[in-house]
Every structure is written in structure tokens, then in C-alpha cells.
Amino acid sequence: MIPATNQRPPATILFIFGGSGDLNLRKLTPALYNLFIDKYLSEKFAVVGLGRSKYTDESFRERLLEGVQSFSRRKDDLDDTWKSFSPSISYLQMDADDAGAYPKLSDFVAAKKKEWGEEPNVVFYLAVAPQLVPDIATNLGKLPLCGEKSHVRIVVEKPFGHDLKTAQELNALLGGLFAEEQIYRIDHYLGKETVQNILALRFANSLFEPIWNRRYVEYVQITASETVGLEGRGGYYEGSGALRDMIQNHLLQMLCMVATEAPISFEANEVRNKKVDVLNAIRRIRPEQVNDVAVRGQYGPGEKDGKKIPGYREEEGVKPDSATETFAAVKLYVDNWRWEDVPFYLRTGKSLPEKATVITVQFKPAPYYAFPEEATQDWHSNQLTIGIQPDRDIRLRFQAKRPGQTLAIDPVEMVFSYKDAYSSQEPEAYETLLLDVMTGDATLFMRADQVEAAWKVVTPILEAWENQTPDFPNYAPGSWGPEAATQLIEKDGFHWTMK
Ligand SMILES: NC(=O)C1=CN([C@@H]2O[C@H](COP(=O)(O)OP(=O)(O)OC[C@H]3O[C@@H](n4cnc5c(N)ncnc54)[C@H](OP(=O)(O)O)[C@@H]3O)[C@@H](O)[C@H]2O)C=CC1
Ligand SMILES: O=C1O[C@H](COP(=O)(O)O)[C@@H](O)[C@H](O)[C@H]1O
């Protein structure tokens, strides 16, 4: 977390494998740029993007400037600030499979050490598909500079591994090459202010905790919807799909924040222990139950705002008969005293109508309703909604008497909005997390056992889906996904709040 004092990290070199990729363009460079503006970067800072694509330093900077122009939370005074920031960026064209290219990284570090007159911290950020991670880590591990343990950190993007087995193998491999304190398994949702605030809401107040359990909560739903389709990420996404890309990590981590028991301190391992307890308590899905509790979808071609949208299978890098899901919804149960039999519905997808991440805790209806039924038109209340993004807010929706001589009961909302409550702009998740890596704070990162426990939750679904041929495409771009996802929740008598 960003320290209260404006404490800068030491001299740092950040190597980004996948420098030419979407993540760097959309999130990492804009985050570094904002850290630079806020003076959180060391004056001795260099970032090197790596990839097979052809760029010069200059053309790479131009490309990243486009990213900042489109995706940075701050774009004002861009010309001057970018001029000061961009010289710290360079590009190294290299194939990650080419073991002979890695010594170039050591040469870069040695040159900077000489220029700066001090030993820099070296961060290797692996913003690449999970299949590439083992080879990159192995090649890095052979560099003499990685022997100097305290100066080197490695950041591994999600999904961590491709499944449980590869995640276990990767944990073992990394554990043999680096000390656990050097390994940062990133899940950027944990860096979001609104996600971190769930713990504050629950455990810095006494108001909600007494009702935060199976006696009062009817169900919980978490939606992370995106309007974008693939956007040129076929190389990565085709081998992943929505379950691996979003549910195994981001959505399960949000579920953990909602479901965890109170930690006794906010020390990194205590919080992580509590979250692992939640993952381990999630009821194992039996193979024959998968189709009842999990739905997958893939968008076909369509039209949005008068514009033609290509179907997923028409995107670059995607097989014409691809079985990769761009939508997934699951129903889970957390088997413990607090949550027994409370369903948790999770849903995510690409090419949906809205970009929004929202958690809804639905409380049970009043046990006895003395008001005449006809006085109440809208029964959707008793709800706490946590807006993660883009609306960052907490809404408590409850029934109230509409003023007037006739008795009418309607839902109203009490709203806490970040925008109204705080004048300063909060940092983006990647700003917080990159700074944490540079300062060596692992609180918001995943431990090996957490990642494996999350894979265990989705494994039965992955296995079942692998053995069935899906009826794809099965939803139109701009819709809320396949009809079966609506049924998943409505057959229980509930509904998605966004629809
Ligand atoms: N995009 C996003 O918003 C987010 C992405 N992530 C994670 O980031 C990771 C990357 O995703 P994303 O950036 O979207 O994917 P992209 O497909 O956009 O990028 C993949 C990157 O990998 C590089 N690459 C592929 N093969 C090689 C190789 N043999 N040698 C060197 N570089 C190679 C590509 O470079 P080149 O083609 O030039 O070789 C490219 O830079 C994934 O794990 C994803 O889950 C996490 C959060 C958000
Ligand atoms: O990890 C990922 O997250 C992004 C969505 O992140 P957000 O912060 O914009 O909600 C998603 O687009 C991408 O496919 C996935 O890899």
C-alpha cells in the first residue's frame, strides 16, 4: 500500500516481459506514469519492455504514449510530463524462448549500476501468457544477478499456471529459483481501493457484522462485466477463457473479501490465512453437478450502436471452431458456520452491455410484513451493493414510506460515493501494486497456497468443460450472456441485479 509519507523506493530497474502487450499498454505504463507524476518513483528508475515485436526505443515510447493518452487516469499536461518520464523507457527485442538472449539483461543492469553508482533493485515482471512463465523463470534463474537474492523480485501475472497441476509445478519451480519473499503473484483486483475497502466496511464498523451471515443473507452475487471483446489479445485469451482469466482469480478473491472471517491483524499472512480458509471451505463441485452450477458462453457476430462486431471466432489468433468461453457464470457455496447454504453467484464476460464490477449482498426479506401487500410495488430492497468500478460506491437499498396520505412503500438508497466523499483521485490498482513490489510489501499479493486453493475450486468445471463440446456461439455481443446464465440464478428464485 502507498505509504503515508511520500517515501520513494530505491533505485529500480523494471523488466517487463510482454512489454509489447495489452497489459503494459493499458495498465502498467499508465500506472508507472502516474507514480512518476506523484513522485513515487526513484529518480534512478528504468523500465525495459521486452517482446518479439519490432520496436526502437523511440517507436516503443510512441506506442506507450498512445496507451497513456487512452488509459491513464491523468492526461493533463501530458506533453511536458511525458517528456520527462519517457527517457526512462527502453525496448529490447527478444524471444523469451531464446536462452542466449538473457545475458543482455545482466548487461543492462551492470550498465545502470555503473551509471547510478549503486546496486539497483531488479524487478522482472512477467506480463505474458502462463505457458511462457516456466521457461522465462528458468532462464532468469540462471543469471548470476538472480543469485543476489535481495535485489531481485519476480512478478507473475494471473492466471498463475494453466490449471492446478501447472500451478503446483510453477510454485515448485519458482520456489527452487527464488525465495518466497521475492515472488509476487499478482491479482490486480486486490490493488483496487474499492476491493480493499470491503475489509474496512466489514471490520472497521460494528454495524454490518452481526447480519453478515447465513441467518440474514439470502445470497451474494458478483458481476464483472466488460464491453470490450478480444482487442487483439487472441494469443493470450484463446488459451485461457473467462473462467481462468477472471473467475479463478479476481472473482474468487472478491468472494474471499466478502466471506472471510475477521483477521486478528492486517499482517500479510494473517489476512492471507483467512482468505485461504474461505477458498478451502468452498463446496467441491461433483462432475455430474457441473452443468447445474456453471454456465459458459461465447459471443457471436453482431451489431452494437450501428457498428458491426465480429464474433469471437472471427478475431485474430482465434480458431474458427474455438471452444474458449468469453463468458462464465458459477454458483458456489461456502461450507462453514457463517455461510452454509447461502449461494454465491459469480459472473463475468466480454462483449456485455456495461463495463462494471459490482458485488450485491441480498438480505432476507422481513420475517413478517404487516404492511398491506398492495402498498409495496417494488420488492427489490434489503440490499447492500458495493460498486467496485467504474462507479465506486456503497449503496444500501431499503424500503421507505413515500410521503403522502396513501400508504406506499418504495425502495430508496443511502449512497456513499468515493467521488463525493473524497476530493483527491485514488490511485489505480497497478499503481499501488507496482509500488508495493518496488518497496517490498507483499500484503496484497497471492501466496502459493492461495493460488492453488483457487484452482481447486474451478478444476471440476474446467475438467467437465474440456470433455464436452459447447454449443458456441451462444450470445450476442452487447447482451448479458447466454440465457442459461439467467436461468442459473432465476431457477433459485433470484435475479441478477444488472440485466
Ligand atoms: N490485458 C489486461 O488488461 C490484463 C492482462 N493480465 C495478464 O497479463 C498477461 C498478458 O496479457 P496481455 O498483455 O493482455 O496479453 P497480450 O497477448 O496482449 O500480450 C502478450 C505478450 O507476450 C509477448 N510474447 C508472447 N510470446 C512471446 C515470446 N515467445 N517471447 C517474448 N514475448 C512473447 C507478446 O509480445 P510479442 O508478440 O511482441 O512477442 C506480448 O507482449 C496475462 O497473463 C493476463 O492474464 C492481467 C490483468 C489485466
Ligand atoms: O485480468 C484481467 O482483467 C481485465 C479487466 O480488468 P479491469 O481492472 O479493467 O476490470 C480483463 O480485461 C482481462 O481480460 C483480464 O486478463
Side-chain angles (χ1 to χ4, degrees), residues 18-23 26-27 51-53 91 94-97 127-130 132 157-159 188 233 236 245 430:
S20 51
D22 182 78
L23 178 67
R26 195 184 285 270
K27 310 255 193 200
R52 294 162 305 174
S53 305
Y91 184 75
M94 91 175 231
D95 191 323
D97 296 334
V128 291
L132 290 177
E157 260 299 341
K158 46 67 39 189
H188 77 276
R233 295 173 67 210
Y236 155 70
D245 188 47
Y430 275 99

Side-chain angles (χ1 to χ4, degrees), residues 211-266:
I211 54 169
W212 208 264
N213 57 51
R214 64 186 305 273
R215 274 189 295 283
Y216 299 97
V217 175
E218 188 153 57
Y219 64 94
V220 175
Q221 62 173 272
I222 307 178
T223 292
S225 64
E226 296 189 85
T227 49
V228 292
L230 202 54
E231 304 216 300
R233 295 173 67 210
Y236 155 70
Y237 199 84
E238 189 50 0
S240 172
L243 195 68
R244 290 185 168 92
D245 188 47
M246 296 289 290
I247 295 208
Q248 186 271 345
N249 32 76
H250 306 323
L251 277 87
L252 282 180
Q253 285 306 307
M254 287 190 281
L255 181 154
C256 286
M257 301 293 255
V258 173
T260 178
E261 295 303 315
I264 54 168
S265 77
F266 282 91

